[in-house]
Amino acid sequence: MPAVHRAPLLLLAMLSVIVAPCALADIGEGRAKGGGAADTISIPVPAGEQAQAAVAAVLVTTLGERFDDPALEVRLDPAEISASGPRDQVVQGQGQLKLTGSGEQDWLAFRYRSRYDALFGTAGFAEITLGGDGEGESERFVPNDARLLVDLETRVATEFESWPDAGRVFLQLDDISSLQSGQRFLRIEASGIADFGPGGSTAAHVDAIYDLQADRWLSIEHELAPNIVAYDDGGTAGY
């Protein structure tokens, strides 16, 4: 059965604006004079609400796919909207997500940034950063867990090794912070060096979310500096 992504009532109401950007309200009683249809008036929805509703739809979809959870709830704080062109707007803000499949109530903070096309009423790809840097609901920095760090390094290095001609990869994370949200979510953000052997090494950044109750990784995102050129027996990995 496909995953169902849920949003609070406010978001659902906002999303309906995208389908019907103008609401109709009766201003007369019964039928209009002459037996025609009742008088109606078009009530435009504020542009800021349309932009945030479009971005909310993108966020619900993107986060649902990222966590692959059967039930995902998202709530957003008021967004900051600024113009970046005649019809383009930048929408950014903070929010919280809750994985409701297991019945837990802990929220995980996140920040987002997206572009909104005012002409077509659509939002583009959303840049999402998980965690609120200690300012989110029930967030607190905790000591790093050596067991989880070793497992994280192994998983990311193994993925690098799956690249064509990458060879053996050693990943060393040394700038590490662990941020816990409630009793369930642990966000590990770390930077270090990825060593591709003969191809040299490059800076690496890892951002991961661990579920302390289910004892599993929910999300692992990684990024390498753009100067990586890995070689294995003369072959180029091309990353």
Side-chain angles (χ1 to χ4, degrees):
M1 180 179 296
V4 177
H5 308 300
R6 298 187 297 169
L9 181 61
L10 174 60
L11 284 185
L12 294 178
M14 293 172 63
L15 293 178
S16 67
V17 170
I18 303 302
V19 179
C22 293
L24 299 179
D26 290 339
I27 59 174
E29 293 183 2
R31 293 183 178 272
K33 293 181 179 180
D39 296 330
T40 58
I41 182 172
S42 177
I43 305 175
V45 176
E49 292 185 7
Q50 289 185 347
Q52 188 164 15
V55 172
V58 173
L59 290 172
V60 169
T61 300
T62 302
L63 289 168
E65 293 176 348
R66 182 167 180 176
F67 285 95
D68 191 25
D69 193 84
L72 175 71
E73 186 173 337
V74 173
R75 65 186 186 189
L76 301 179
D77 298 335
E80 297 180 8
I81 303 176
S82 57
S84 62
R87 61 188 243 192
D88 291 336
Q89 298 175 343
V90 176
V91 183
Q92 56 187 347
Q94 298 180 352
Q96 298 84 37
L97 67 89
K98 180 168 62 175
L99 307 179
T100 56
S102 61
E104 296 299 330
Q105 300 300 313
D106 284 345
W107 291 86
L108 176 63
F110 66 90
R111 290 166 290 164
Y112 67 91
R113 185 176 186 273
S114 179
R115 290 189 177 275
Y116 173 74
D117 187 323
L119 178 61
F120 292 100
T122 57
F125 171 78
E127 301 174 4
I128 300 175
T129 302
L130 298 175
D133 291 334
E135 298 180 1
E137 182 176 323
S138 302
E139 281 191 337
R140 61 192 183 279
F141 286 96
V142 295
N144 297 323
D145 187 317
R147 177 184 64 87
L148 291 180
L149 290 176
V150 170
D151 186 47
L152 182 60
E153 288 179 337
T154 301
R155 288 172 180 266
V156 175
T158 300
E159 183 171 345
F160 290 159
E161 291 173 355
S162 69
W163 295 351
D165 302 320
R168 185 69 181 275
V169 179
F170 296 92
L171 177 65
Q172 180 179 348
L173 300 175
D174 49 24
D175 185 7
I176 306 164
S177 66
S178 298
L179 185 66
Q180 185 171 334
S181 297
Q183 300 301 315
R184 180 176 185 182
F185 300 114
L186 179 66
R187 180 199 179 201
I188 299 178
E189 184 178 17
S191 297
I193 298 295
D195 186 348
F196 285 78
S201 60
T202 188
H205 183 81
V206 178
D207 197 343
I209 300 293
Y210 190 77
D211 189 330
L212 294 169
Q213 296 183 353
D215 195 25
R216 66 186 181 95
W217 296 101
L218 295 174
S219 173
I220 299 177
E221 302 288 328
H222 54 71
E223 181 180 6
L224 293 177
N227 63 331
I228 180 61
V229 179
Y231 295 95
D232 181 22
D233 296 331
T236 303
Y239 294 95

